[in-house]
Amino acid sequence: MTAAMSHPAVFFDGMLLFILFCIAALMLFSVAFGALAIKYRRQNDRMAARWARLEAEWEPLVVAVLDGDRTAEDMAAHVDRKDRLYFVDFLTRFAKRLRGETRDQLDALALPYLDAVGAHLTYPAPAQRARAVQALGLLGFTHFADRLVTALDDESPLVAMLAARALSRRDHPQYVGAVIDRLYRFDNWSPRFLASMLAAVGPDAVPQLRTAYADSARPPQTRAVAAEALRWLNDIPAVDIAARVLEEEFERERPGDAPPTPANREETAGDDALNARRDLAASSLRLLRNLGRPEHARKARDLCASPDFVVRAFALRALGRIGDASDVSRLEGALEDESVWVVLHAAHALRELGAETKLRDIAARPHPRADIARQVLAEGVGS
Amino acid sequence: MCPAGQASQAQKKKIIVGDDDELITAVLRHRLEKGGYEVVVASDGDEVVSLAEKGGVAAIVLDVKMPGRDGLDALRRLRALPATQHVPIAMLSGKGSESDIVKGIEMGADDYIVKPFSVLEVVARIRRLLKRTA
């Protein structure tokens, strides 16, 4: 037994001292933490006030330079070396709002400051590299395009995506090939978003999009995005590529075939390879539907019995546009499909062909798909 | 420097620029004032309407998206007011779809300019609108 424990008064005095010490330490810690928070807050406020002051000083000067009333040299006298990056950030706000001659003047005004931004492309923090890519894409594209192409291979997918967006420009279609080559890096992005990015390049992108779409060595996701972009660009010759892709990639899958992956189940999220193939089939069938001619209907008919419900659904939907009266019985049969998506697309196709008899019949009686039939018929009334 | 004739030709016509974006209003104000116009800036639809109601306005540039009363709502109000129903109005918008443009024109806008815009083009369009209504 220790001496302290043998004398309770000494023991409790020791405990009391310890508790008082802990309380004092906690209070000290709280005061120190509070002081630090106040210090950072004040620092931030000072910085924000300084930036607001700088912006107020720069804005009229920038406007005057853009209008030719002042020169870039006049402006340089008001931009401290340590404020160069912030000044470029400030100019990007103008860049997003302007085009034409004034925009060209803005680029010229920004140019002397962009080397400092370019240095950020190699910084370790992805956020800094991303910011640099954005600024260079907006204000220094012609001077920094090669570095933006390099940024397509940045280890950060976000930086790579910003570079891809910066390089997908109608006025510089020569970079679209480099973007298409890196599409495999963006498989977490929506194919529709990627297609819209590529379609924004315009008709000059078409030859490279066609080549990528037809190339079976490319990842299915890349081909699907290329097909979608071609559809948005209304590229009629792409329909023949679509027919070939469907024949080569999907017609071999016959009803009763074991799907390569659990293809006939609808709960297959997470299977990237399967989803990429489905995207390719869906994009190809959408191309047929939107731009195809009646002779392309055969390709869609061949796929109406695919083991994959996604392929079946889009094949049936295509028939609504490029099919004819001979497809009605096929579509009516698909109203009994085990997949609700197939039923929905078949119902839409029937409505598009003006063959609603069976849909009305199902809608009017107790039937597992009566809700879908009613929904599609109601949409027809509204449209 | 603005050509002397340009300012006198414009006779200091008053133009309201309604946009909550300070950079846009700064750029437009500078260019229009240089072109010999008097420019009044408003940052929301209500302010545009109340400034225009006072009369003496030659043209209005109106952003579609503004806090409070938006540009389309302000346009509707301006077209209903006797003092402003014939004042030329150019809409500014980030939305460039066919349906947005048709909607703006059908609601009474005389012109529809899509952002990002060319400052020179905006000024030329305003000048054309002013000539048409002179």
Side-chain angles (χ1 to χ4, degrees):
Chain A
M1 195 178 277
T2 63
M5 287 181 75
S6 62
H7 299 285
V10 176
F11 173 74
F12 284 117
D13 280 353
M15 278 295 287
L16 189 66
L17 271 175
F18 177 71
I19 290 167
L20 284 173
F21 174 78
C22 287
I23 291 170
L26 272 172
M27 283 175 69
L28 265 176
F29 179 75
S30 304
V31 169
F33 186 76
L36 210 64
I38 290 169
K39 184 189 163 197
Y40 283 129
R41 177 65 190 264
R42 283 190 176 165
Q43 214 168 32
N44 276 345
D45 288 349
R46 269 202 304 276
M47 201 180 287
R50 183 167 178 275
W51 284 348
R53 225 174 23 249
L54 282 174
E55 284 183 19
E57 181 187 341
W58 288 338
E59 188 186 291
L61 280 167
V62 170
V63 170
V65 172
L66 296 182
D67 247 352
D69 294 342
R70 301 286 291 265
T71 64
E73 288 72 32
D74 294 338
M75 187 76 239
H78 292 264
V79 182
D80 199 274
R81 197 175 162 75
K82 66 176 184 297
D83 295 324
R84 286 176 306 178
L85 295 177
Y86 187 64
F87 180 62
V88 171
D89 266 353
F90 180 66
L91 294 183
T92 59
R93 288 187 233 161
F94 282 88
K96 288 172 186 165
R97 294 160 168 86
L98 301 171
R99 62 178 173 82
E101 191 183 297
T102 318
R103 182 72 174 73
D104 295 340
Q105 278 162 335
L106 187 74
D107 286 355
L109 175 60
L111 189 59
Y113 308 92
L114 293 183
D115 277 332
V117 178
H120 281 227
L121 287 173
T122 53
Y123 274 30
Q128 282 180 307
R129 297 200 302 277
R131 202 169 141 202
V133 164
Q134 263 187 317
L136 295 175
L138 263 174
L139 291 165
F141 186 83
T142 47
H143 294 85
F144 290 88
D146 290 342
R147 299 195 64 184
L148 293 174
V149 172
T150 308
L152 285 170
D153 296 317
D154 192 285
E155 63 186 36
S156 156
L158 175 69
V159 176
M161 170 48 73
L162 288 170
R165 285 192 66 181
L167 288 162
S168 302
R169 293 169 60 132
R170 188 174 280 262
D171 54 347
H172 290 280
Q174 69 268 36
Y175 298 105
V176 75
V179 176
I180 293 171
D181 287 345
R182 270 67 161 209
L183 282 177
Y184 69 90
R185 297 203 61 196
F186 310 131
D187 51 6
N188 286 329
W189 293 77
S190 137
R192 288 176 66 83
F193 167 79
L194 297 171
S196 108
M197 181 178 82
L198 293 172
V201 178
D204 287 334
V206 163
Q208 298 191 70
L209 286 169
R210 280 188 204 152
T211 306
Y213 180 31
D215 184 358
S216 60
R218 297 254 189 186
Q221 189 68 17
T222 296
R223 301 174 74 193
V225 170
E228 201 68 3
L230 287 165
R231 181 171 69 88
W232 287 21
L233 289 166
N234 291 316
D235 184 48
I236 305 282
V239 179
D240 293 326
I241 304 174
R244 222 166 37 244
V245 169
L246 290 168
E247 187 177 318
E248 289 166 4
E249 303 284 338
F250 299 97
E251 275 186 24
R252 288 177 212 133
E253 294 166 11
R254 294 289 169 202
D257 281 0
T261 41
N264 218 19
R265 294 211 317 261
E266 293 178 16
E267 62 280 11
T268 52
D271 191 333
D272 291 344
L274 173 63
N275 286 334
R277 264 180 69 75
R278 282 177 168 167
D279 282 343
L280 178 57
S283 300
S284 302
L285 286 161
R286 272 197 290 262
L287 255 171
L288 284 196
R289 172 180 153 77
N290 283 50
L291 305 172
R293 299 177 296 279
E295 60 263 34
H296 292 115
R298 191 182 64 76
K299 291 289 165 209
R301 287 181 193 121
D302 289 345
L303 292 168
C304 286
S306 164
D308 189 323
F309 77 97
V310 174
V311 178
R312 286 201 304 282
F314 280 95
L316 291 160
R317 188 67 190 263
L319 290 178
R321 190 75 65 81
I322 56 173
D324 54 37
S326 70
D327 295 306
V328 171
S329 61
R330 181 181 281 107
L331 290 165
E332 286 178 346
L335 294 175
E336 307 292 339
D337 197 284
E338 64 187 32
S339 160
V340 287
W341 296 109
V342 173
V343 175
L344 186 66
H345 282 272
H348 276 294
L350 278 169
R351 189 171 62 73
E352 285 172 334
L353 285 176
E356 296 174 356
T357 313
K358 177 132 189 203
L359 270 182
R360 292 189 190 287
D361 173 47
I362 290 176
R365 64 186 166 89
H367 187 280
R369 305 304 193 204
D371 284 346
I372 294 176
R374 282 188 216 114
Q375 178 195 324
V376 171
L377 287 168
E379 284 173 17
V381 171
S383 63
Chain B
M1 291 288 286
C2 93
Q6 204 174 4
S8 61
Q9 195 182 10
Q11 295 171 345
K12 286 281 180 189
K13 287 178 176 168
K14 192 204 280 185
I15 296 170
I16 297 177
V17 177
D19 198 323
D20 61 319
D21 186 329
E22 283 179 24
L23 297 183
I24 283 184
T25 54
V27 172
L28 284 178
R29 178 203 276 267
H30 193 270
R31 177 62 69 150
L32 287 166
E33 284 181 348
K34 202 173 157 188
Y37 300 102
E38 179 192 347
V39 179
V40 185
V41 170
S43 57
D44 64 61
D46 285 319
E47 200 181 346
V48 171
V49 174
S50 70
L51 284 168
E53 269 179 323
K54 292 174 188 165
V57 180
I60 299 170
V61 180
L62 197 54
D63 184 31
V64 169
K65 204 173 165 190
M66 282 193 288
R69 190 196 285 267
D70 71 14
L72 290 176
D73 201 16
L75 172 65
R76 195 180 295 119
R77 180 79 187 124
L78 291 166
R79 284 298 176 238
L81 291 170
T84 54
Q85 61 184 342
H86 299 300
V87 173
I89 299 175
M91 301 301 292
L92 271 181
S93 174
K95 288 181 171 182
S97 75
E98 194 178 318
S99 60
D100 292 320
I101 295 171
V102 169
K103 191 176 172 190
I105 301 285
E106 278 182 352
M107 285 179 69
D110 297 279
D111 205 347
Y112 196 102
I113 300 157
V114 178
K115 296 178 189 174
F117 59 81
S118 151
V119 183
L120 299 180
E121 188 185 322
V122 173
V123 175
R125 286 185 184 214
I126 291 169
R127 197 171 288 137
R128 189 195 61 185
L129 287 177
L130 289 171
K131 268 187 196 159
R132 202 192 291 165
T133 52

Tab-separated table of all heavy atoms in Angstrom, chain A residues 47 84 116 334:
chain	number	residue	atom	x	y	z
A	47	MET	N	-7.230	39.438	-46.133
A	47	MET	CA	-6.956	39.005	-47.503
A	47	MET	C	-8.150	39.314	-48.422
A	47	MET	O	-7.978	39.822	-49.527
A	47	MET	CB	-6.670	37.499	-47.511
A	47	MET	CG	-5.894	37.053	-48.732
A	47	MET	SD	-5.591	35.300	-48.678
A	47	MET	CE	-4.366	35.187	-47.424
A	84	ARG	N	0.026	38.141	-59.408
A	84	ARG	CA	-0.176	37.763	-60.807
A	84	ARG	C	-1.259	36.687	-60.982
A	84	ARG	O	-2.110	36.790	-61.854
A	84	ARG	CB	1.139	37.261	-61.424
A	84	ARG	CG	2.127	38.367	-61.719
A	84	ARG	CD	3.413	37.804	-62.235
A	84	ARG	NE	3.939	36.791	-61.307
A	84	ARG	CZ	5.038	36.098	-61.511
A	84	ARG	NH1	5.738	36.284	-62.605
A	84	ARG	NH2	5.455	35.205	-60.635
A	116	ALA	N	3.515	32.320	-65.354
A	116	ALA	CA	3.437	32.034	-63.905
A	116	ALA	C	2.349	30.998	-63.645
A	116	ALA	O	2.497	30.126	-62.781
A	116	ALA	CB	3.130	33.321	-63.147
A	334	ALA	N	-43.488	-8.106	-77.408
A	334	ALA	CA	-42.529	-7.600	-76.419
A	334	ALA	C	-43.223	-6.964	-75.217
A	334	ALA	O	-42.580	-6.748	-74.184
A	334	ALA	CB	-41.594	-6.585	-77.075
